[in-house]
Amino acid sequence: MPFTPRTPRVVAARRLQRRREREATRRFLVEGPQAVREALTRPRTVVELFGTPDALDRYADLAAAAAGADVPVSEVTDEALAGLAETVAPQGLVAVCRHLDVPLETALSRRPRLVALLAGIRDPGNAGTVLRTADAAGATVVVFAGDAVDPYNGKCVRSSAGSLFHVDVVRHRDPDAVLVAARAAGLTVLAATGHGEQDLDELADAGRLAVPTAWLFGSEAHGLPRELAEVADAGVRVPLHGQAESLNLAAAAAVCLYASARAQR
Amino acid sequence: MPFTPRTPRVVAARRLQRRREREATRRFLVEGPQAVREALTRPRTVVELFGTPDALDRYADLAAAAAGADVPVSEVTDEALAGLAETVAPQGLVAVCRHLDVPLETALSRRPRLVALLAGIRDPGNAGTVLRTADAAGATVVVFAGDAVDPYNGKCVRSSAGSLFHVDVVRHRDPDAVLVAARAAGLTVLAATGHGEQDLDELADAGRLAVPTAWLFGSEAHGLPRELAEVADAGVRVPLHGQAESLNLAAAAAVCLYASARAQR
């Protein structure tokens, strides 16, 4: 018999929709076949897979991959699946995964050449989009620093479109300590800010984007705290050619990270 | 006495939250002092300004600017304002504005050097973000083509952060006709697509982004229809350096438009 919304393991998994439960158990939920597939490519990440009978039949390769990795695969009713999923059309699959962030020291020891540091970003959709963009631009480390959104928030996971599983995700309470460690690891820290003294194009023209770089991005609402921006090697502004007063976070991150990617080739 | 939610002019304005009413009257709503300020800088755009007594006092310069332009300014109750606004904290001001899109021919006759063509984009937040990014990158024309989102949708207006008032907005039913007209106006049409045969960086290296360019972007969910991409001068892909399979629309638009902006300087 498929599990129902009242089956204890379903009830336990559903609690992971709350941040406190995710922190306590160091587990989180991913939904949909694409995200489940990404999660299964990482060793010891998926703890349990739930699926409707239809979905487990349609995605038999994923069910087999899970079973082959000794991950319990359980049939659930449509109602139980709907309760586990946060989207309207999760395509019948939800997996419980282990947190996958690594210590800052581990991530930096791999000598990344492009890093994104998110300081105090609160919007999970924005955070996930920046994760995806950073991955696309070739960044291999994304740090959630300070009082930031939980990278395992369902909306962040979905917006990252799998990139949460591709890069080294780091969580750290203290943005200042992250900057110090990044510089000690040989990264130039560039703070993206509308008030930056350096123009992004001029930095590119001067060949200063070719070095290993950590880009520091602040929150959508408040930007970067001044004291944090001042610790960076430079404050950098994306040029505004029209009448817009600023770019939104995801767009600014895309332009900055891709400028570095192009210079580093 | 301030207008209440039941005052006929408030009732009429509130109907503009629906697309059908916006189309029928060619009017729309903007909320918050920053957007109202932008709207007031354009001649004959604001039709009516509603504000709570507090807000009209706090933003007396806006109330005076409206009155000076013969725009009726009306006090409304907090409840009436809350009904007119779609956000939780609209800061007490909502204006009724006239649609401001211009015919395609008018926009092209101004010889734009950078244009964004949005084909079939459905998400209003994405559309507004692309408007904002296009403006920031120096594009002076943004075309909503085909079965696209209404640019006067409240979420699009808010996401554009004022850029709706900065660029020439064009609405056109037929994306093919827009492409033909853009090329006739001397614009190179580049279709941004994950399957594009040209790499963005290689185009930039070859100096091919310095010419007047119209970037064609497709919907988040379905990308560009093949037959439309084939009519473009080139299909262009943003390079993916990491493991991400794609960029989201707003990030791809930011990278493409800023690549042109940099090449055109």
Side-chain angles (χ1 to χ4, degrees):
Chain A
M1 291 293 290
F3 290 172
T4 74
R6 282 157 298 281
T7 304
R9 274 159 64 189
V10 173
V11 171
R14 186 170 180 168
R15 284 204 198 99
L16 296 170
Q17 290 174 353
R18 280 178 283 166
R19 179 169 188 165
R20 195 168 54 186
E21 187 73 8
R22 292 194 296 270
E23 300 291 357
T25 61
R26 287 194 55 81
R27 295 185 174 184
F28 68 109
L29 299 174
V30 307
E31 57 192 78
Q34 194 172 352
V36 168
R37 190 181 305 277
E38 299 272 2
L40 283 167
T41 62
R42 291 179 61 114
R44 286 173 297 116
T45 297
V46 180
V47 176
E48 177 154 29
L49 177 62
F50 297 107
T52 60
D54 271 4
L56 291 175
D57 191 45
R58 191 174 329 126
Y59 303 106
D61 59 324
L62 297 180
D70 288 329
V71 170
V73 179
S74 304
E75 286 192 357
V76 296
T77 62
D78 288 349
E79 194 190 354
L81 197 285
L84 287 168
E86 293 180 349
T87 53
V88 180
Q91 299 176 262
L93 294 180
V94 170
V96 177
C97 295
R98 287 191 184 86
H99 279 195
L100 33 74
D101 49 282
V102 298
L104 179 63
E105 297 68 31
T106 305
L108 292 177
S109 72
R110 294 176 185 155
R111 305 195 150 272
R113 290 183 50 77
L114 191 55
V115 172
L117 309 178
L118 313 185
I121 291 183
R122 297 297 190 89
D123 182 273
N126 279 347
T129 300
V130 174
L131 250 172
R132 179 179 176 185
T133 303
D135 178 19
T140 53
V141 178
V142 176
V143 183
F144 288 71
D147 189 15
V149 70
D150 173 15
Y152 304 108
N153 171 297
K155 193 168 179 193
C156 180
V157 174
R158 292 191 297 280
S159 303
S160 87
S163 292
L164 180 70
F165 299 106
H166 300 158
V167 303
D168 282 340
V169 172
V170 174
R171 305 174 75 183
H172 202 288
R173 283 189 169 269
D174 180 1
D176 283 295
V178 173
L179 256 65
V180 169
R183 295 177 67 177
L187 290 156
T188 295
V189 177
L190 300 180
T193 156
H195 311 290
E197 70 275 10
Q198 304 269 355
D199 176 281
L200 179 69
D201 285 349
E202 289 170 13
L203 271 186
D205 289 342
R208 288 180 55 197
L209 295 180
V211 297
T213 298
W215 277 100
L216 175 62
F217 302 106
S219 86
E220 310 79 2
H222 307 294
L224 276 175
R226 180 182 296 270
E227 60 277 17
L228 197 58
E230 283 173 354
V231 180
D233 292 287
V236 182
R237 63 179 190 280
V238 175
L240 298 172
H241 302 288
Q243 296 172 67
E245 287 181 14
S246 64
L247 285 166
N248 80 348
L249 171 66
V255 174
C256 292
L257 290 164
Y258 264 92
S260 286
R262 181 157 156 72
Q264 289 186 356
R265 271 193 318 161
Chain B
M1 290 293 291
F3 290 172
T4 74
R6 282 156 299 279
T7 304
R9 274 157 66 190
V10 173
V11 171
R14 186 169 179 167
R15 284 203 199 100
L16 295 172
Q17 290 173 353
R18 281 177 284 166
R19 179 169 187 164
R20 196 168 53 185
E21 186 72 9
R22 291 194 297 269
E23 300 289 359
T25 60
R26 287 195 54 82
R27 295 185 174 186
F28 68 110
L29 299 174
V30 308
E31 57 193 76
Q34 194 172 349
V36 168
R37 190 181 306 278
E38 299 272 4
L40 282 168
T41 61
R42 290 180 62 115
R44 286 174 297 116
T45 297
V46 179
V47 176
E48 177 154 30
L49 178 61
F50 297 106
T52 60
D54 272 4
L56 291 175
D57 191 44
R58 192 175 328 125
Y59 304 106
D61 58 325
L62 297 180
D70 288 328
V71 170
V73 179
S74 304
E75 288 193 354
V76 297
T77 63
D78 287 349
E79 194 191 353
L81 197 284
L84 287 169
E86 293 180 348
T87 52
V88 181
Q91 298 177 263
L93 294 180
V94 171
V96 177
C97 296
R98 287 192 183 85
H99 279 195
L100 32 74
D101 49 281
V102 298
L104 180 62
E105 297 67 30
T106 305
L108 293 177
S109 72
R110 294 176 185 155
R111 305 196 149 272
R113 290 183 51 78
L114 191 56
V115 172
L117 308 179
L118 313 185
I121 291 184
R122 296 298 191 90
D123 182 272
N126 279 348
T129 300
V130 175
L131 251 172
R132 179 178 176 185
T133 303
D135 178 19
T140 54
V141 177
V142 177
V143 183
F144 289 71
D147 189 15
V149 70
D150 173 14
Y152 305 108
N153 171 297
K155 194 169 179 192
C156 179
V157 174
R158 291 192 297 281
S159 302
S160 87
S163 291
L164 180 69
F165 300 106
H166 299 159
V167 302
D168 282 340
V169 172
V170 174
R171 305 174 75 183
H172 202 289
R173 284 189 170 269
D174 180 0
D176 284 295
V178 173
L179 257 65
V180 169
R183 295 175 68 176
L187 290 155
T188 295
V189 178
L190 299 179
T193 155
H195 310 291
E197 70 275 12
Q198 304 268 354
D199 177 280
L200 180 70
D201 286 349
E202 288 170 14
L203 271 187
D205 289 343
R208 288 178 54 197
L209 295 181
V211 297
T213 298
W215 277 100
L216 175 62
F217 302 107
S219 86
E220 309 80 2
H222 307 294
L224 275 176
R226 179 182 298 270
E227 60 276 17
L228 198 59
E230 283 173 356
V231 181
D233 292 287
V236 182
R237 62 180 190 279
V238 175
L240 297 171
H241 302 288
Q243 297 172 65
E245 287 181 14
S246 64
L247 285 167
N248 79 349
L249 171 66
V255 174
C256 291
L257 290 165
Y258 263 92
S260 286
R262 182 158 156 70
Q264 289 187 355
R265 271 192 318 161

